[in-house]
CSV table of all heavy atoms in Angstrom, one decimal:
chain,number,residue,atom,x,y,z
A,1,MET,N,72.8,104.8,103.5
A,1,MET,CA,74.2,105.1,103.4
A,1,MET,C,74.6,106.0,102.2
A,1,MET,O,73.7,106.5,101.6
A,1,MET,CB,75.0,103.9,103.7
A,1,MET,CG,75.0,103.3,105.1
A,1,MET,SD,75.5,104.5,106.4
A,1,MET,CE,77.3,104.3,106.1
A,2,ILE,N,75.8,105.8,101.8
A,2,ILE,CA,76.2,106.5,100.6
A,2,ILE,C,76.0,105.7,99.3
A,2,ILE,O,76.0,104.3,99.3
A,2,ILE,CB,77.7,106.9,100.6
A,2,ILE,CG1,78.1,107.6,101.9
A,2,ILE,CG2,78.2,107.5,99.3
A,2,ILE,CD1,79.5,107.6,102.2
A,3,ILE,N,75.4,106.4,98.2
A,3,ILE,CA,75.0,105.7,97.2
A,3,ILE,C,76.2,104.8,96.5
A,3,ILE,O,77.3,105.3,96.4
A,3,ILE,CB,74.3,106.5,96.1
A,3,ILE,CG1,73.7,106.0,94.9
A,3,ILE,CG2,75.4,107.5,95.5
A,3,ILE,CD1,72.2,105.8,95.2
A,4,PRO,N,76.0,103.6,96.1
A,4,PRO,CA,77.1,102.9,95.4
A,4,PRO,C,77.3,103.6,94.0
A,4,PRO,O,76.5,104.1,93.4
A,4,PRO,CB,76.6,101.5,95.2
A,4,PRO,CG,75.1,101.5,95.4
A,4,PRO,CD,74.7,102.7,96.3
A,5,VAL,N,78.7,103.5,93.7
A,5,VAL,CA,79.0,104.1,92.3
A,5,VAL,C,78.3,103.4,91.2
A,5,VAL,O,77.8,104.0,90.3
A,5,VAL,CB,80.5,104.0,92.2
A,5,VAL,CG1,81.0,104.6,90.8
A,5,VAL,CG2,81.3,104.7,93.2
A,6,ARG,N,78.3,102.1,91.3
A,6,ARG,CA,77.6,101.3,90.2
A,6,ARG,C,76.5,100.5,90.8
A,6,ARG,O,76.4,100.3,92.0
A,6,ARG,CB,78.5,100.2,89.6
A,6,ARG,CG,79.6,101.0,88.7
A,6,ARG,CD,80.6,100.0,88.2
A,6,ARG,NE,81.5,100.6,87.4
A,6,ARG,CZ,81.4,100.6,86.0
A,6,ARG,NH1,80.4,100.2,85.4
A,6,ARG,NH2,82.3,101.3,85.3
A,7,CYS,N,75.5,100.2,90.0
A,7,CYS,CA,74.3,99.3,90.3
A,7,CYS,C,75.0,98.0,90.9
A,7,CYS,O,75.8,97.4,90.2
A,7,CYS,CB,73.3,99.1,89.2
A,7,CYS,SG,72.0,98.0,89.5
A,8,PHE,N,74.4,97.4,92.0
A,8,PHE,CA,74.8,96.3,92.6
A,8,PHE,C,74.6,95.0,91.6
A,8,PHE,O,75.3,94.1,91.4
A,8,PHE,CB,74.2,95.8,93.9
A,8,PHE,CG,74.6,96.6,95.0
A,8,PHE,CD1,73.7,97.5,95.7
A,8,PHE,CD2,76.0,96.7,95.2
A,8,PHE,CE1,74.2,98.2,96.8
A,8,PHE,CE2,76.5,97.5,96.2
A,8,PHE,CZ,75.6,98.2,97.1
A,9,SER,N,73.4,95.1,90.8
A,9,SER,CA,73.0,94.0,89.9
A,9,SER,C,73.7,94.0,88.5
A,9,SER,O,74.1,93.0,88.1
A,9,SER,CB,71.4,94.0,89.9
A,9,SER,OG,70.8,93.8,91.2
A,10,CYS,N,73.5,95.2,87.9
A,10,CYS,CA,73.9,95.2,86.5
A,10,CYS,C,75.2,95.9,86.1
A,10,CYS,O,75.7,95.9,85.2
A,10,CYS,CB,72.7,95.8,85.5
A,10,CYS,SG,72.5,97.4,85.9
A,11,GLY,N,75.8,96.6,87.2
A,11,GLY,CA,77.1,97.3,87.0
A,11,GLY,C,76.8,98.6,86.3
A,11,GLY,O,78.0,99.2,86.0
A,12,LYS,N,75.7,99.1,86.1
A,12,LYS,CA,75.6,100.4,85.4
A,12,LYS,C,76.0,101.5,86.4
A,12,LYS,O,75.7,101.4,87.5
A,12,LYS,CB,74.1,100.7,85.0
A,12,LYS,CG,73.9,102.1,84.4
A,12,LYS,CD,72.4,102.2,84.2
A,12,LYS,CE,72.1,103.6,83.8
A,12,LYS,NZ,72.3,103.9,82.3
A,13,PRO,N,77.0,102.5,85.8
A,13,PRO,CA,77.4,103.6,86.8
A,13,PRO,C,76.2,104.4,87.2
A,13,PRO,O,75.4,105.0,86.2
A,13,PRO,CB,78.4,104.3,85.9
A,13,PRO,CG,78.8,103.4,84.9
A,13,PRO,CD,77.7,102.5,84.6
A,14,ILE,N,75.9,104.7,88.3
A,14,ILE,CA,74.8,105.5,88.7
A,14,ILE,C,75.1,106.5,89.8
A,14,ILE,O,74.2,107.4,90.0
A,14,ILE,CB,73.6,104.6,89.2
A,14,ILE,CG1,74.2,103.6,90.4
A,14,ILE,CG2,72.9,103.7,88.2
A,14,ILE,CD1,73.1,102.8,91.1
A,15,GLY,N,76.3,106.4,90.4
A,15,GLY,CA,76.6,107.3,91.5
A,15,GLY,C,76.5,108.7,91.2
A,15,GLY,O,76.0,109.7,92.0
A,16,HIS,N,76.9,109.2,89.9
A,16,HIS,CA,76.9,110.6,89.6
A,16,HIS,C,75.4,111.2,89.5
A,16,HIS,O,75.4,112.3,89.3
A,16,HIS,CB,77.6,110.7,88.3
A,16,HIS,CG,76.9,109.9,87.2
A,16,HIS,ND1,77.0,108.6,87.1
A,16,HIS,CD2,76.4,110.3,86.0
A,16,HIS,CE1,76.5,108.3,86.0
A,16,HIS,NE2,76.1,109.2,85.3
A,17,LEU,N,74.3,110.3,89.4
A,17,LEU,CA,73.0,110.7,89.3
A,17,LEU,C,72.3,111.0,90.6
A,17,LEU,O,71.2,111.6,90.5
A,17,LEU,CB,72.2,109.6,88.4
A,17,LEU,CG,72.8,109.2,87.1
A,17,LEU,CD1,72.0,108.0,86.6
A,17,LEU,CD2,72.7,110.4,86.1
A,18,TRP,N,73.0,110.5,91.6
A,18,TRP,CA,72.3,110.6,92.9
A,18,TRP,C,72.0,112.0,93.4
A,18,TRP,O,70.9,112.4,93.9
A,18,TRP,CB,73.2,109.9,94.0
A,18,TRP,CG,72.7,110.1,95.4
A,18,TRP,CD1,73.2,110.7,96.4
A,18,TRP,CD2,71.4,109.6,95.9
A,18,TRP,NE1,72.5,110.7,97.5
A,18,TRP,CE2,71.3,110.0,97.2
A,18,TRP,CE3,70.3,109.0,95.4
A,18,TRP,CZ2,70.2,109.7,98.0
A,18,TRP,CZ3,69.3,108.7,96.2
A,18,TRP,CH2,69.1,109.1,97.5
A,19,GLU,N,72.9,113.0,93.1
A,19,GLU,CA,72.7,114.3,93.7
A,19,GLU,C,71.5,115.0,93.0
A,19,GLU,O,70.7,115.6,93.5
A,19,GLU,CB,73.9,115.2,93.5
A,19,GLU,CG,75.2,114.9,94.4
A,19,GLU,CD,74.8,115.1,95.9
A,19,GLU,OE1,74.0,115.9,96.2
A,19,GLU,OE2,75.2,114.3,96.7
A,20,GLU,N,71.4,114.8,91.6
A,20,GLU,CA,70.4,115.4,90.9
A,20,GLU,C,69.0,114.7,91.3
A,20,GLU,O,68.0,115.4,91.5
A,20,GLU,CB,70.6,115.2,89.3
A,20,GLU,CG,69.4,115.8,88.6
A,20,GLU,CD,69.7,115.9,87.2
A,20,GLU,OE1,70.8,115.4,86.7
A,20,GLU,OE2,68.8,116.2,86.4
A,21,PHE,N,69.0,113.4,91.5
A,21,PHE,CA,67.9,112.7,91.8
A,21,PHE,C,67.4,113.3,93.1
A,21,PHE,O,66.1,113.5,93.5
A,21,PHE,CB,68.0,111.2,92.0
A,21,PHE,CG,66.9,110.5,92.7
A,21,PHE,CD1,65.7,110.1,91.8
A,21,PHE,CD2,66.8,110.0,93.9
A,21,PHE,CE1,64.7,109.5,92.3
A,21,PHE,CE2,65.9,109.3,94.4
A,21,PHE,CZ,64.7,109.0,93.5
A,22,LYS,N,68.3,113.5,94.2
A,22,LYS,CA,68.0,113.9,95.5
A,22,LYS,C,67.4,115.3,95.5
A,22,LYS,O,66.4,115.7,96.2
A,22,LYS,CB,69.1,113.8,96.4
A,22,LYS,CG,69.0,113.9,97.8
A,22,LYS,CD,70.2,113.5,98.7
A,22,LYS,CE,71.3,114.7,98.6
A,22,LYS,NZ,72.4,114.6,99.4
A,23,LYS,N,67.9,116.1,94.7
A,23,LYS,CA,67.5,117.6,94.6
A,23,LYS,C,66.2,117.6,94.0
A,23,LYS,O,65.3,118.3,94.5
A,23,LYS,CB,68.5,118.4,93.6
A,23,LYS,CG,68.3,119.8,93.7
A,23,LYS,CD,69.5,120.5,92.9
A,23,LYS,CE,68.9,121.3,91.8
A,23,LYS,NZ,69.0,121.0,90.3
A,24,ARG,N,65.9,116.9,92.9
A,24,ARG,CA,64.5,117.1,92.3
A,24,ARG,C,63.5,116.4,93.1
A,24,ARG,O,62.4,116.8,93.0
A,24,ARG,CB,64.7,116.3,90.8
A,24,ARG,CG,65.6,117.2,89.9
A,24,ARG,CD,65.8,116.5,88.6
A,24,ARG,NE,64.6,116.5,87.9
A,24,ARG,CZ,64.6,116.0,86.6
A,24,ARG,NH1,65.6,115.6,86.0
A,24,ARG,NH2,63.5,116.0,86.0
A,25,ASN,N,63.8,115.4,93.8
A,25,ASN,CA,63.0,114.7,94.7
A,25,ASN,C,62.5,115.7,95.8
A,25,ASN,O,61.4,115.8,96.2
A,25,ASN,CB,63.6,113.6,95.3
A,25,ASN,CG,62.7,112.4,95.6
A,25,ASN,OD1,61.5,112.4,95.3
A,25,ASN,ND2,63.2,111.3,96.2
A,26,ALA,N,63.5,116.5,96.3
A,26,ALA,CA,63.3,117.4,97.3
A,26,ALA,C,62.4,118.4,96.9
A,26,ALA,O,61.6,119.1,97.7
A,26,ALA,CB,64.6,117.9,97.9
A,27,GLU,N,62.4,118.7,95.5
A,27,GLU,CA,61.6,119.8,95.0
A,27,GLU,C,60.2,119.4,94.6
A,27,GLU,O,59.4,120.1,94.2
A,27,GLU,CB,62.3,120.4,93.6
A,27,GLU,CG,63.5,121.3,94.0
A,27,GLU,CD,64.3,121.4,92.7
A,27,GLU,OE1,63.9,121.0,91.7
A,27,GLU,OE2,65.4,122.2,92.8
A,28,GLY,N,60.0,118.2,95.1
A,28,GLY,CA,58.5,117.6,94.9
A,28,GLY,C,58.1,117.0,93.6
A,28,GLY,O,57.0,116.6,93.2
A,29,GLU,N,59.2,116.6,92.8
A,29,GLU,CA,59.0,115.9,91.6
A,29,GLU,C,58.7,114.5,91.9
A,29,GLU,O,59.2,113.9,92.8
A,29,GLU,CB,60.2,116.1,90.6
A,29,GLU,CG,60.2,117.4,89.9
A,29,GLU,CD,61.1,117.3,88.7
A,29,GLU,OE1,61.0,116.5,87.8
A,29,GLU,OE2,62.2,118.0,88.8
A,30,ASN,N,57.9,113.8,90.9
A,30,ASN,CA,57.6,112.4,91.0
A,30,ASN,C,59.0,111.7,90.8
A,30,ASN,O,59.5,111.7,89.7
A,30,ASN,CB,56.6,112.0,89.9
A,30,ASN,CG,56.3,110.6,90.1
A,30,ASN,OD1,57.1,109.8,89.9
A,30,ASN,ND2,54.9,110.3,90.1
A,31,PRO,N,59.2,110.7,91.8
A,31,PRO,CA,60.6,110.1,91.7
A,31,PRO,C,60.7,109.1,90.6
A,31,PRO,O,61.7,109.0,89.8
A,31,PRO,CB,60.6,109.2,93.0
A,31,PRO,CG,59.6,109.8,94.0
A,31,PRO,CD,58.6,110.5,93.1
A,32,GLY,N,59.5,108.6,90.2
A,32,GLY,CA,59.6,107.7,89.0
A,32,GLY,C,59.9,108.5,87.7
A,32,GLY,O,60.7,107.9,86.9
A,33,LYS,N,59.3,109.6,87.7
A,33,LYS,CA,59.6,110.4,86.5
A,33,LYS,C,61.1,110.9,86.3
A,33,LYS,O,61.8,110.8,85.4
A,33,LYS,CB,58.6,111.7,86.4
A,33,LYS,CG,58.6,112.4,85.1
A,33,LYS,CD,57.7,113.6,85.3
A,33,LYS,CE,58.3,114.8,84.8
A,33,LYS,NZ,58.7,115.9,85.7
A,34,VAL,N,61.6,111.3,87.5
A,34,VAL,CA,63.0,111.6,87.7
A,34,VAL,C,63.9,110.6,87.1
A,34,VAL,O,64.9,110.6,86.4
A,34,VAL,CB,63.4,112.2,89.0
A,34,VAL,CG1,64.8,112.5,89.0
A,34,VAL,CG2,62.5,113.4,89.4
A,35,LEU,N,63.6,109.4,87.6
A,35,LEU,CA,64.4,108.2,87.3
A,35,LEU,C,64.4,107.8,85.8
A,35,LEU,O,65.4,107.6,85.1
A,35,LEU,CB,63.9,107.0,88.0
A,35,LEU,CG,64.2,106.9,89.5
A,35,LEU,CD1,63.5,105.7,90.2
A,35,LEU,CD2,65.7,106.8,89.8
A,36,ASP,N,63.3,108.1,85.1
A,36,ASP,CA,63.0,107.9,83.8
A,36,ASP,C,64.0,108.8,83.0
A,36,ASP,O,64.6,108.5,82.1
A,36,ASP,CB,61.6,108.1,83.3
A,36,ASP,CG,60.6,107.0,83.6
A,36,ASP,OD1,61.2,105.9,83.8
A,36,ASP,OD2,59.5,107.2,83.7
A,37,GLU,N,63.9,110.1,83.5
A,37,GLU,CA,64.6,111.1,82.8
A,37,GLU,C,66.1,111.0,82.9
A,37,GLU,O,67.0,111.5,82.2
A,37,GLU,CB,64.2,112.5,83.1
A,37,GLU,CG,62.7,112.8,82.7
A,37,GLU,CD,62.2,114.1,83.1
A,37,GLU,OE1,63.0,115.0,83.7
A,37,GLU,OE2,61.0,114.3,82.9
A,38,LEU,N,66.5,110.4,84.1
A,38,LEU,CA,68.0,110.1,84.3
A,38,LEU,C,68.5,109.0,83.6
A,38,LEU,O,69.7,108.6,83.5
A,38,LEU,CB,68.2,109.9,85.8
A,38,LEU,CG,68.2,111.1,86.7
A,38,LEU,CD1,68.3,110.8,88.1
A,38,LEU,CD2,69.0,112.4,86.3
A,39,GLY,N,67.6,108.3,83.0
A,39,GLY,CA,68.0,107.1,82.0
A,39,GLY,C,68.1,105.7,82.8
A,39,GLY,O,68.7,104.9,82.3
A,40,LEU,N,67.4,105.8,84.1
A,40,LEU,CA,67.5,104.5,84.7
A,40,LEU,C,66.3,103.6,84.5
A,40,LEU,O,65.1,103.9,85.0
A,40,LEU,CB,67.5,104.7,86.3
A,40,LEU,CG,68.8,105.5,86.7
A,40,LEU,CD1,68.7,106.0,88.1
A,40,LEU,CD2,70.0,104.6,86.6
A,41,GLU,N,66.3,102.7,83.4
A,41,GLU,CA,65.2,102.0,83.0
A,41,GLU,C,65.0,100.7,83.7
A,41,GLU,O,64.0,100.1,84.0
A,41,GLU,CB,65.4,101.8,81.6
A,41,GLU,CG,65.0,103.0,80.8
A,41,GLU,CD,65.7,103.0,79.4
A,41,GLU,OE1,66.1,101.8,78.9
A,41,GLU,OE2,65.7,104.0,78.7
A,42,ARG,N,66.1,100.0,84.1
A,42,ARG,CA,66.1,98.8,84.7
A,42,ARG,C,65.6,98.8,86.1
A,42,ARG,O,66.1,99.7,86.8
A,42,ARG,CB,67.4,98.0,84.7
A,42,ARG,CG,67.8,97.4,83.3
A,42,ARG,CD,69.1,96.8,83.2
A,42,ARG,NE,70.1,97.8,83.3
A,42,ARG,CZ,70.8,98.2,82.1
A,42,ARG,NH1,70.6,97.5,81.0
A,42,ARG,NH2,71.8,99.1,82.2
A,43,TYR,N,64.8,97.9,86.5
A,43,TYR,CA,64.4,98.1,87.9
A,43,TYR,C,65.4,97.8,89.0
A,43,TYR,O,65.2,98.3,90.2
A,43,TYR,CB,63.0,97.2,88.2
A,43,TYR,CG,63.3,95.7,87.8
A,43,TYR,CD1,63.9,94.9,88.8
A,43,TYR,CD2,62.8,95.1,86.8
A,43,TYR,CE1,64.1,93.5,88.6
A,43,TYR,CE2,63.0,93.9,86.4
A,43,TYR,CZ,63.6,93.0,87.3
A,43,TYR,OH,63.8,91.7,87.2
A,44,CYS,N,66.5,97.0,88.7
A,44,CYS,CA,67.6,96.9,89.6
A,44,CYS,C,68.2,98.3,90.0
A,44,CYS,O,68.5,98.7,91.2
A,44,CYS,CB,68.7,95.9,89.3
A,44,CYS,SG,69.4,96.4,87.6
A,45,CYS,N,68.4,99.0,89.0
A,45,CYS,CA,69.0,100.5,89.2
A,45,CYS,C,68.0,101.4,90.0
A,45,CYS,O,68.4,102.1,90.9
A,45,CYS,CB,69.5,101.1,87.9
A,45,CYS,SG,70.2,100.0,86.8
A,46,ARG,N,66.7,101.2,89.7
A,46,ARG,CA,65.8,102.2,90.2
A,46,ARG,C,65.6,101.9,91.7
A,46,ARG,O,65.5,102.7,92.5
A,46,ARG,CB,64.3,102.0,89.5
A,46,ARG,CG,64.5,102.4,88.0
A,46,ARG,CD,63.2,101.9,87.4
A,46,ARG,NE,62.1,102.9,87.7
A,46,ARG,CZ,61.7,103.8,86.8
A,46,ARG,NH1,62.4,104.0,85.7
A,46,ARG,NH2,60.7,104.6,87.1
A,47,SER,N,65.7,100.5,92.0
A,47,SER,CA,65.6,100.1,93.3
A,47,SER,C,66.7,100.7,94.3
A,47,SER,O,66.6,101.0,95.4
A,47,SER,CB,65.5,98.6,93.6
A,47,SER,OG,66.6,97.9,93.2
A,48,VAL,N,67.9,100.7,93.7
A,48,VAL,CA,69.0,101.3,94.5
A,48,VAL,C,68.7,102.7,94.9
A,48,VAL,O,68.9,103.1,96.0
A,48,VAL,CB,70.4,101.3,93.6
A,48,VAL,CG1,71.5,101.9,94.3
A,48,VAL,CG2,70.7,99.9,93.3
A,49,PHE,N,68.1,103.5,94.0
A,49,PHE,CA,67.9,104.9,94.3
A,49,PHE,C,66.6,104.9,95.2
A,49,PHE,O,66.5,105.8,96.2
A,49,PHE,CB,67.4,105.7,93.0
A,49,PHE,CG,68.6,106.2,92.4
A,49,PHE,CD1,69.7,105.3,91.9
A,49,PHE,CD2,68.8,107.5,92.1
A,49,PHE,CE1,70.8,105.8,91.3
A,49,PHE,CE2,70.0,108.0,91.6
A,49,PHE,CZ,71.0,107.3,91.1
A,50,LEU,N,65.7,104.2,95.0
A,50,LEU,CA,64.3,104.4,95.9
A,50,LEU,C,64.5,103.8,97.2
A,50,LEU,O,63.8,104.1,98.1
A,50,LEU,CB,63.1,103.7,95.1
A,50,LEU,CG,62.8,104.3,93.7
A,50,LEU,CD1,61.8,103.5,93.1
A,50,LEU,CD2,62.2,105.7,93.9
A,51,GLY,N,65.4,102.7,97.3
A,51,GLY,CA,65.7,102.3,98.7
A,51,GLY,C,66.8,103.0,99.5
A,51,GLY,O,67.1,102.6,100.4
A,52,GLN,N,67.1,104.3,98.9
A,52,GLN,CA,68.3,104.9,99.4
A,52,GLN,C,67.9,106.0,100.4
A,52,GLN,O,66.9,106.7,100.1
A,52,GLN,CB,69.1,105.4,98.2
A,52,GLN,CG,70.5,106.0,98.6
A,52,GLN,CD,71.5,104.8,99.1
A,52,GLN,OE1,72.1,105.0,100.0
A,52,GLN,NE2,71.6,103.9,98.2
A,53,GLU,N,68.6,106.2,101.4
A,53,GLU,CA,68.3,107.3,102.3
A,53,GLU,C,69.7,107.8,102.8
A,53,GLU,O,70.7,107.1,103.0
A,53,GLU,CB,67.6,106.7,103.5
A,53,GLU,CG,67.2,107.8,104.6
A,53,GLU,CD,65.9,108.4,104.3
A,53,GLU,OE1,65.0,107.6,104.1
A,53,GLU,OE2,65.8,109.7,104.2
A,54,ASP,N,69.8,109.2,102.8
A,54,ASP,CA,71.1,109.7,103.2
A,54,ASP,C,71.3,109.6,104.8
A,54,ASP,O,70.9,110.3,105.4
A,54,ASP,CB,71.1,111.2,103.0
A,54,ASP,CG,71.9,111.4,101.5
A,54,ASP,OD1,72.8,110.5,101.4
A,54,ASP,OD2,71.7,112.5,100.9
A,55,LEU,N,71.9,108.5,105.1
A,55,LEU,CA,72.3,108.3,106.6
A,55,LEU,C,73.6,108.6,107.1
A,55,LEU,O,74.0,108.3,108.2
A,55,LEU,CB,72.0,106.8,106.8
A,55,LEU,CG,70.4,106.3,106.6
A,55,LEU,CD1,70.3,104.9,106.8
A,55,LEU,CD2,69.4,107.1,107.5
A,56,ALA,N,74.4,109.1,106.1
A,56,ALA,CA,75.8,109.3,106.5
A,56,ALA,C,75.9,110.1,107.8
A,56,ALA,O,76.8,109.7,108.7
A,56,ALA,CB,76.6,109.8,105.3
A,57,GLU,N,75.2,111.2,107.9
A,57,GLU,CA,75.4,112.1,109.0
A,57,GLU,C,74.8,111.4,110.3
A,57,GLU,O,75.5,111.5,111.3
A,57,GLU,CB,74.4,113.4,108.8
A,57,GLU,CG,75.3,114.3,108.0
A,57,GLU,CD,74.4,115.6,107.8
A,57,GLU,OE1,73.7,116.1,108.8
A,57,GLU,OE2,74.5,116.2,106.7
A,58,LEU,N,73.7,110.6,110.1
A,58,LEU,CA,73.2,110.0,111.3
A,58,LEU,C,74.2,109.0,111.9
A,58,LEU,O,74.5,108.9,113.1
A,58,LEU,CB,71.8,109.3,110.8
A,58,LEU,CG,71.0,108.6,112.0
A,58,LEU,CD1,70.6,109.6,113.0
A,58,LEU,CD2,70.0,107.7,111.4
A,59,VAL,N,74.7,108.1,111.0
A,59,VAL,CA,75.6,107.1,111.4
A,59,VAL,C,76.9,107.8,112.0
A,59,VAL,O,77.4,107.2,112.9
A,59,VAL,CB,76.0,106.2,110.1
A,59,VAL,CG1,77.0,105.2,110.5
A,59,VAL,CG2,74.7,105.5,109.7
A,60,GLY,N,77.3,108.9,111.5
A,60,GLY,CA,78.4,109.6,112.0
A,60,GLY,C,78.4,109.9,113.6
A,60,GLY,O,79.4,110.0,114.2
A,61,LYS,N,77.1,110.1,114.1
A,61,LYS,CA,76.9,110.4,115.5
A,61,LYS,C,77.2,109.1,116.4
A,61,LYS,O,77.5,109.4,117.5
A,61,LYS,CB,75.4,110.7,115.8
A,61,LYS,CG,75.1,112.1,115.2
A,61,LYS,CD,73.5,112.3,115.7
A,61,LYS,CE,73.0,113.4,114.6
A,61,LYS,NZ,71.5,113.4,114.8
A,62,PHE,N,77.3,108.0,115.8
A,62,PHE,CA,77.5,106.8,116.6
A,62,PHE,C,78.9,106.3,116.4
A,62,PHE,O,79.2,105.1,116.7
A,62,PHE,CB,76.5,105.7,116.3
A,62,PHE,CG,75.0,106.2,116.5
A,62,PHE,CD1,74.2,106.6,115.5
A,62,PHE,CD2,74.6,106.2,117.8
A,62,PHE,CE1,72.9,107.1,115.8
A,62,PHE,CE2,73.2,106.7,118.1
A,62,PHE,CZ,72.5,106.9,117.1
A,63,LYS,N,79.8,107.1,116.0
A,63,LYS,CA,81.1,106.7,115.9
A,63,LYS,C,81.8,106.3,117.3
A,63,LYS,O,81.4,106.8,118.2
A,63,LYS,CB,82.1,107.9,115.3
A,63,LYS,CG,82.7,107.7,114.0
A,63,LYS,CD,83.6,108.7,113.5
A,63,LYS,CE,83.3,110.1,114.0
A,63,LYS,NZ,84.2,111.2,113.4
A,64,LYS,N,82.6,105.3,117.1
A,64,LYS,CA,83.2,104.9,118.4
A,64,LYS,C,84.0,105.9,119.0
A,64,LYS,O,84.9,106.5,118.3
A,64,LYS,CB,84.2,103.6,118.1
A,64,LYS,CG,83.2,102.4,118.0
A,64,LYS,CD,84.3,101.1,117.8
A,64,LYS,CE,83.4,100.0,117.4
A,64,LYS,NZ,84.3,98.9,116.8
A,65,ALA,N,84.0,106.1,120.3
A,65,ALA,CA,84.9,107.1,120.9
A,65,ALA,C,86.3,106.8,121.0
A,65,ALA,O,86.7,105.6,121.0
A,65,ALA,CB,84.4,107.3,122.3
B,101,ZN,ZN1,71.0,98.0,87.5
């Protein structure tokens, strides 16, 4: 779904980093390296990004009529 504005576990603001992470990931960069460079060192924040998938459009298809 949509990336949370802050990390669920530690509260670090991470929402603004999602677009760049997605873009660089699509360009074939190593996700771990991108996370390092974005300053996400704690594994709680990294897991938010790595477990994330853009499903907003997919879910939109199943809206109640
Ligand atoms: Zn965190």
Side-chain angles (χ1 to χ4, degrees):
M1 292 295 287
I2 300 163
I3 192 97
V5 177
R6 284 172 183 269
C7 172
F8 287 127
S9 298
C10 68
K12 178 183 166 78
I14 52 173
H16 60 295
L17 302 173
W18 172 242
E19 286 299 324
E20 183 174 350
F21 174 76
K22 203 170 61 174
K23 190 175 126 252
R24 292 175 63 172
N25 215 1
E27 286 167 359
E29 280 194 62
N30 183 304
K33 191 177 133 251
V34 178
L35 289 173
D36 283 339
E37 291 179 10
L38 290 175
L40 296 169
E41 287 158 12
R42 283 180 284 259
Y43 55 80
C44 55
C45 315
R46 298 171 77 101
S47 69
V48 172
F49 274 62
L50 295 176
Q52 194 66 233
E53 184 83 55
D54 259 337
L55 294 177
E57 277 179 39
L58 180 69
V59 174
K61 288 182 197 163
F62 297 101
K63 240 187 335 193
K64 281 183 195 167

